[in-house]
Amino acid sequence: MEIYLYIALFAPLAGSLFAALFGASPKTSLTGIVASGLLFISFVSSAILLNYVVAGHTVHVEMMTWIATGDLYIPFGFVVDQVSVVMMMVVSIVSTIVHIYSVGYMDHDKGFNRFFSYLSAFVFSMMVLVMSDNFLGLFIGWEGVGLCSWLLIGFWYHKESATWAANEAFIMNRIADLAMLIGIFIIYWNIGSLQYDVVFSDIANLPMPIITWIGIFLFIGAMGKSAQFPLHTWLADAMEGPTPVSALIHAATMVTAGVYLVVRANPIYDLIPEVGTVIASLGAFVAMFAATMALVNRDMKRIIAYSTLSQLGYMFVAAGLGAYWVALFHLMAHAFFKALLFLGAGNVMHAMHDELDPFKMGGLKKPMKWTWILMTLASVALAGIYPLAGFFSKDLILEVAFVEQHYILYSVLLATAGLTAFYSFRLVALIFHGDERHLEHGIHPHEAYNFMLYAMAPLGVLAVIAGMVFKTPYYEMVTQLLPAIEYHIHNHTTFWIMTIGTQLFVIAAIAYAYKKYAKAVKVDAKVESGFFYQLLYNQYYIPKLYDELFSKPYRELSKIAWKQIDLKIVDATVDGIANVIYRTGEKTHTMQNGNLSSMLRWMVIGLVVLLVLAIAFTVGYNAVTMRAM
């Protein structure tokens, strides 16, 4: 089985390097085809490993020694177990589909070859992250996805907004990663190893304050990668990158890494339930917080991005309450319908000449029938309607909160479910139903390439069946490694009231969204100028607050350092030394004028100086000697 592990891990790297060979060359479809084919090979290998792990086995390889100094020994080691294989399957399935889709989406882009090199490197970094058998290997993959996200978000670097968004994502994640690195250092300092098996077997022997700090610092790292408040602002701005990048970041890679870290480190968090409660509370807050911002936004991709942020909140609620397998289950189900939503949004963008405002669309159901069907399916799954995937995973998180008697968390998540249904179908109604408002702007939309739709079809199928088909075998597999806790509301009357009530609430929210936006759309200037609308539209003014508290003072401090220190001290010192040397050269260059008489004169002067120095040295030396005697 080791060979399949290596193929699953390194096939994306091979695709990245192959595409990089043509990075500066004109577009060739071969790079996209080869990169997609290698991702499919990685998926097949992951599927073979999944079958092996389902049978109760694990694959653990130590490829080579990485760091060996003193007591520190860290190999390039990788493990395929019940948790990592789930992530491998999610990453490889979604990445393969995104790669195939991108062949059509990036068809006319000058950076076609460069894009596939970055995209495959992104997948390789994520595979390193989830397959590593130690915290430092995980951190290398963690930083790899951070680097690749910077490259991909800022892919169209000629746009100032894209480079700004890429830098924002990179810097904000570096802040969180510093905390994560501190957590890793504390683990090594106290345990002497970073291998998962060693750390998790010895962690309970540490003092409780040390364990608490480890859990806090690791979670701060997860907050940055999964864009949890207050390190959340980069996620919506990351929509500046190409849409397939958004699908990959939000569905299968980067933002899910934070949830994976908490799930993987479950033996640590089991010992500090109070930290888990904080994680769950923050997750519930973020779920509601992001959903409210999606209610009023007029950027199609940002609405879906806020949806991702909200669903990540759901995952952290489950993980914080100790329901790690539930968090991972929602991560898996969410990946399928969220990737489908983003790829559908990419089809709409192409059809609408990159227009993102759904209020300028409408009536696209006719020319884009298949995109409409697929995006509607994804939205139904996101809303949690039975029997699609979102129902099983999201409803299970609500049950966890209720069974654990966190009724406030339950209420917040239930309200968020209604908001999710509303903004999801607000988007569908504005884009695909009602008047053809795009005709006013001279746009004549068309459906995407057939092969792009075929690539999206498996995601549509998975969005429908992933919950009801995979839940039981998934539970039986992952609970061999994760705590095998089942969450059931034992009072059947209460269970059915909650389930049916939630479904009716969500359906009512969908109906209201259709009633309000599916026909004539009127923009109410009075409402849009209101305090609460502006508060939500401006993201609670948090980006502005960050700009005033951090960005502007930093810019002013940088200007002062530049003008008062760099120019007046550093540059002045360097320039002064250079000027002295230059002027000395100007004064003394006549010594080398080639005139024999002049050169002899300088030789005599030099000889006299040397004799004077020699005499002075001799006299001084004799004087010191006499005093010593």
Side-chain angles (χ1 to χ4, degrees):
M1 285 292 137
E2 289 186 16
I3 187 64
Y4 294 111
L5 183 151
Y6 290 130
I7 292 172
L9 177 61
F10 290 110
L13 177 62
S16 176
L17 295 175
F18 178 82
L21 293 174
F22 303 93
S25 305
K27 178 246 176 181
T28 170
S29 297
L30 182 64
T31 56
I33 294 170
V34 170
S36 302
L38 287 167
L39 256 296
F40 180 74
I41 291 172
S42 178
F43 159 66
V44 172
S45 297
S46 299
I48 293 171
L49 290 167
L50 172 65
N51 187 58
Y52 185 70
V53 171
V54 167
H57 307 289
T58 60
V59 183
H60 192 182
V61 300
E62 187 175 307
M63 195 167 68
M64 65 181 75
T65 298
W66 178 21
I67 300 174
T69 176
D71 295 330
L72 178 61
Y73 175 74
I74 303 175
F76 274 119
F78 302 96
V79 62
V80 178
D81 57 20
Q82 290 79 6
V83 171
S84 61
V85 78
V86 172
M87 293 297 297
M88 289 168 64
M89 287 298 295
V90 170
V91 171
S92 60
I93 290 172
V94 175
S95 300
T96 301
I97 290 169
V98 169
H99 271 69
I100 297 170
Y101 177 91
S102 298
V103 173
Y105 189 88
M106 301 296 291
D107 187 38
H108 302 295
D109 197 284
K110 293 180 181 178
F112 183 90
N113 301 335
R114 179 168 58 91
F115 177 81
F116 277 94
S117 180
Y118 294 167
L119 201 65
S120 292
F122 198 4
V123 179
F124 169 67
S125 298
M126 190 65 187
M127 294 295 265
V128 170
L129 190 158
V130 302
M131 294 174 68
S132 179
D133 69 349
N134 63 82
F135 279 102
L136 200 56
L138 177 145
F139 188 74
I140 294 301
W142 193 274
E143 294 304 295
V145 295
L147 171 62
C148 293
S149 69
W150 178 75
L151 293 170
L152 288 164
I153 294 168
F155 182 77
W156 290 316
Y157 52 83
H158 54 277
K159 293 168 57 181
E160 185 178 351
S161 58
T163 56
W164 189 91
N167 289 336
E168 180 190 21
F170 191 80
I171 293 168
M172 196 163 284
N173 274 274
R174 298 294 73 70
I175 294 168
D177 292 354
L178 175 61
M180 180 180 172
L181 201 55
I182 292 171
I184 292 173
F185 284 152
I186 296 174
I187 290 173
Y188 174 69
W189 186 263
N190 288 276
I191 294 179
S193 175
L194 294 175
Q195 299 296 116
Y196 292 149
D197 52 356
V198 176
V199 172
F200 297 152
S201 63
D202 292 352
I203 192 71
N205 299 323
L206 299 183
M208 193 55 63
I210 297 295
I211 302 173
T212 301
W213 281 114
I214 289 171
I216 290 171
F217 280 120
L218 290 181
F219 178 65
I220 293 173
M223 285 170 61
K225 199 64 75 184
S226 293
Q228 295 296 285
F229 179 87
L231 303 175
H232 66 282
T233 55
W234 69 266
L235 191 65
D237 293 332
M239 296 302 97
E240 290 291 338
T243 303
V245 174
S246 304
L248 203 53
I249 288 177
H250 287 248
T253 58
M254 193 149 174
V255 298
T256 60
V259 179
Y260 170 77
L261 173 62
V262 176
V263 171
R264 173 59 76 182
N266 71 88
I268 296 175
Y269 288 101
D270 277 341
L271 298 172
I272 43 175
E274 64 279 2
V275 174
T277 302
V278 172
I279 292 172
S281 301
L282 180 63
F285 167 75
V286 170
M288 174 67 81
F289 173 72
T292 56
M293 292 189 288
L295 290 175
V296 301
N297 202 275
R298 292 183 58 165
D299 182 310
M300 174 173 58
K301 286 177 67 177
R302 283 176 177 261
I303 292 170
I304 304 174
Y306 287 131
S307 167
T308 299
L309 185 54
S310 182
Q311 297 307 304
L312 287 166
Y314 274 89
M315 297 175 206
F316 277 115
V317 169
L321 296 180
Y324 305 105
W325 71 269
V326 177
L328 192 62
F329 185 50
H330 190 50
L331 186 157
M332 176 184 70
H334 171 264
F336 302 139
F337 53 74
K338 185 51 60 68
L340 185 58
L341 269 177
F342 268 113
L343 298 185
N347 291 352
V348 173
M349 282 182 65
H350 264 200
M352 294 295 297
H353 302 174
D354 291 334
E355 178 58 61
L356 288 167
D357 187 350
F359 282 84
K360 296 179 181 178
M361 301 178 189
L364 294 183
K365 182 170 76 170
K366 294 179 183 178
M368 304 185 70
K369 177 183 176 182
W370 289 108
T371 298
W372 165 62
I373 291 172
L374 291 170
M375 285 193 72
T376 302
L377 272 178
S379 298
V380 172
L382 175 60
I385 300 295
Y386 181 85
L388 274 69
F391 167 80
F392 290 91
S393 58
K394 189 190 290 185
D395 211 57
L396 197 52
I397 295 173
L398 290 170
E399 286 185 40
V400 170
F402 191 87
V403 169
E404 295 292 330
Q405 298 182 358
H406 289 278
Y407 300 121
I408 295 176
L409 297 185
Y410 171 80
S411 302
V412 171
L413 295 181
L414 180 61
T416 302
L419 297 180
T420 302
F422 177 81
Y423 69 66
S424 298
F425 282 89
R426 167 182 177 262
L427 186 63
V428 171
L430 286 170
I431 294 173
F432 296 105
H433 300 275
D435 299 330
E436 297 177 326
R437 297 180 296 278
H438 54 271
L439 296 178
E440 302 172 9
H441 304 280
I443 299 174
H444 301 281
H446 56 83
E447 187 60 277
Y449 296 134
N450 285 336
F451 78 88
M452 294 169 69
L453 296 172
Y454 295 148
M456 294 167 64
L459 291 175
V461 174
L462 289 168
V464 174
I465 69 169
M468 54 185 167
V469 172
F470 297 152
K471 181 181 176 182
T472 300
Y474 161 83
Y475 172 79
E476 292 174 352
M477 180 184 72
V478 297
T479 51
Q480 296 175 35
L481 186 64
L482 300 176
I485 304 173
E486 290 195 66
Y487 298 90
H488 295 302
I489 299 171
H490 298 293
N491 187 317
H492 293 291
T493 303
T494 303
F495 170 78
W496 284 110
I497 290 174
M498 286 173 53
T499 303
I500 296 172
T502 302
Q503 291 290 289
L504 292 175
F505 179 49
V506 167
I507 292 170
I510 293 172
Y512 181 63
Y514 268 112
K515 180 182 178 181
K516 190 171 178 62
Y517 295 105
K519 295 182 181 179
V521 177
K522 295 181 180 179
V523 178
D524 191 332
K526 186 177 180 180
V527 171
E528 291 197 351
S529 61
F531 171 76
F532 287 108
Y533 186 97
Q534 288 298 315
L535 183 69
L536 299 181
Y537 187 79
N538 289 287
Q539 305 172 57
Y540 293 91
Y541 296 99
I542 291 174
K544 184 175 178 61
L545 180 66
Y546 285 176
D547 190 49
E548 294 292 334
L549 288 180
F550 302 110
S551 300
K552 286 185 178 179
Y554 183 78
R555 274 197 299 270
E556 292 303 316
L557 184 62
S558 298
K559 287 180 181 178
I560 292 171
W562 169 51
K563 291 180 179 179
Q564 303 300 325
I565 299 176
D566 200 42
L567 292 179
K568 292 186 177 181
I569 298 177
V570 178
D571 284 1
T573 302
V574 173
D575 291 345
I577 294 170
N579 286 333
V580 168
I581 294 173
Y582 179 78
R583 288 169 184 168
T584 303
E586 284 288 307
K587 298 292 184 181
T588 58
H589 77 281
T590 55
M591 289 190 295
Q592 303 293 330
N593 61 5
N595 185 289
L596 183 60
S597 298
S598 176
M599 294 175 71
L600 286 171
R601 190 181 305 115
W602 282 110
M603 287 177 64
V604 172
I605 293 171
L607 182 61
V608 170
V609 170
L610 287 173
L611 288 172
V612 169
L613 290 174
I615 292 169
F617 175 78
T618 303
V619 171
Y621 177 76
N622 290 334
V624 171
T625 304
M626 292 295 292
R627 286 176 187 170
M629 294 175 62

